[in-house]
Amino acid sequence: MSHLVSARDLSAEIEQDAERQVEGPVLVDVQWRLSSGRSASSGPIGRPDYDAGHLPGAFFVDLDTELAGAPGEGGRHPLPEASVVQEVLRRCGVGDGSRVVVYDGRESFAAARAWWVFRWAGLTDVRVLDGGLAAWQTAGLSVSTDEPQPREGDVTVQPGSLPVLDADGAATWARRAVLLDARDPERYSGETEPLDPVAGHVPGAVNSPTRAWVAPDGTFRRDLADHWASVGPGTVGADEVAVYCGSGVTAAHHALALAEIGVDATLYPGSWSDWVRDPERPVATGPTPG
């Protein structure tokens, strides 16, 4: 089963559910701006985009405060508390058997984080709207500025339903299997580092920029398997791949792309922002050997 759903297929699914008078998928809007940062005074950075227009019936979820813990121990976007995730899901009306569809503005970076966090919390039916709100609008489908009232879902989360790595685990993984660094090549090589105090990458990690997995229209590439073969990790088992990025957001997008071709990648949620918290950890620079 694909973890992605197209705008037209989602629209048809919602319409069919309404005709059959059954509960449709819970829609979660995670619009967010990767490079913006968050200002406590201005509120969630994706909220203005949500207010300007979203899928009818979609609930807004803030990546910075509801899909991540406070910056500090564990990096810039550490795992959220399980109680926070449960509260969010219940507010959106999620029950133990609910279907959930998450989306963001276009490229699914933030949506993939929601997809991964919700599955880590134990949900089994979570999909991402491929191409996000942009794809929905390109398909000529309507948007709304009405915010749904909070619901009373009864889901009970089960945190830890997906495996994760800490810094020590990432170091070990890079020595024995394939650890992917999802950041742009300039950050991986140490040429530049706009967000964290140290530039470079985890020794032994292979650079695989997340943006290379995205088509020009913001959807996932249709040749994901061919692209994976071009990354150059050699022949690896489906469970021998782990991935990190700057703070665990675009790494989730990588995990989603790999899941589409049957590769179950393990996430290092703290990622580079966690790795460099300890000055004793080694740092490598330069391009991927090859």
Side-chain angles (χ1 to χ4, degrees):
M1 172 179 152
S2 176
H3 299 274
L4 302 174
V5 60
S6 72
R8 292 199 179 280
D9 285 348
L10 177 59
S11 176
E13 180 179 335
I14 294 170
E15 184 176 346
Q16 291 168 5
D17 288 339
E19 290 175 353
R20 293 185 298 162
Q21 297 185 331
V22 299
E23 182 180 359
V26 177
L27 305 177
V28 175
D29 183 301
V30 199
Q31 294 190 70
W32 183 73
R33 298 177 187 272
L34 180 63
S35 61
S36 299
R38 182 175 185 273
S39 169
S41 61
S42 62
I45 59 176
R47 183 69 200 213
D49 294 327
Y50 171 84
D51 290 340
H54 50 264
L55 270 63
F59 292 85
F60 177 74
V61 171
D62 178 33
L63 185 150
D64 288 309
T65 61
E66 296 179 310
L67 299 176
E73 187 68 29
R76 282 184 279 112
H77 288 106
L79 289 178
E81 294 291 335
S83 59
V84 172
V85 180
Q86 180 165 289
E87 181 180 349
V88 166
L89 291 171
R90 289 185 174 185
R91 185 188 79 220
C92 297
V94 175
D96 290 331
S98 294
R99 290 167 286 153
V100 177
V101 175
V102 297
Y103 71 91
D104 56 27
R106 186 173 184 270
E107 294 168 319
S108 299
F109 295 145
R113 170 74 178 208
W115 167 85
W116 187 90
V117 167
F118 291 164
R119 293 172 66 243
W120 167 83
L123 298 193
T124 57
D125 193 342
V126 187
R127 290 169 292 163
V128 171
L129 172 58
D130 196 13
L133 181 63
W136 183 266
Q137 292 177 301
T138 297
L141 300 167
S142 64
V143 298
S144 173
T145 57
D146 296 331
E147 182 175 5
Q149 291 296 313
R151 298 180 183 171
E152 296 182 0
D154 59 3
V155 68
T156 299
V157 303
Q158 300 175 23
S161 295
L162 291 180
V164 298
L165 295 179
D166 59 12
D168 290 341
T172 300
W173 198 288
R175 291 193 295 268
R176 71 170 181 82
V178 176
L179 179 65
L180 300 177
D181 183 314
R183 297 172 300 160
D184 291 338
E186 296 78 11
R187 292 182 70 189
Y188 169 87
S189 66
E191 295 175 49
T192 183
E193 180 46 65
L195 298 172
D196 293 307
V198 179
H201 59 267
V202 176
V206 176
N207 190 213
S208 174
T210 294
R211 294 187 185 280
W213 296 80
V214 182
D217 64 355
T219 61
F220 282 81
R221 291 172 55 155
R222 295 295 176 260
D223 60 343
L224 292 175
D226 290 341
H227 177 63
W228 174 231
S230 74
V231 170
T235 302
V236 297
D239 60 349
E240 295 179 321
V241 179
V243 61
Y244 75 94
C245 57
S247 66
V249 175
T250 55
H253 185 278
H254 235 67
L256 174 54
L258 290 170
E260 282 296 287
I261 56 175
V263 177
D264 297 322
T266 298
L267 194 72
Y268 174 18
S271 289
W272 188 246
S273 63
D274 173 62
W275 182 269
V276 298
R277 282 173 51 82
D278 184 350
E280 298 298 318
R281 291 192 184 112
V283 171
T285 57
T288 297

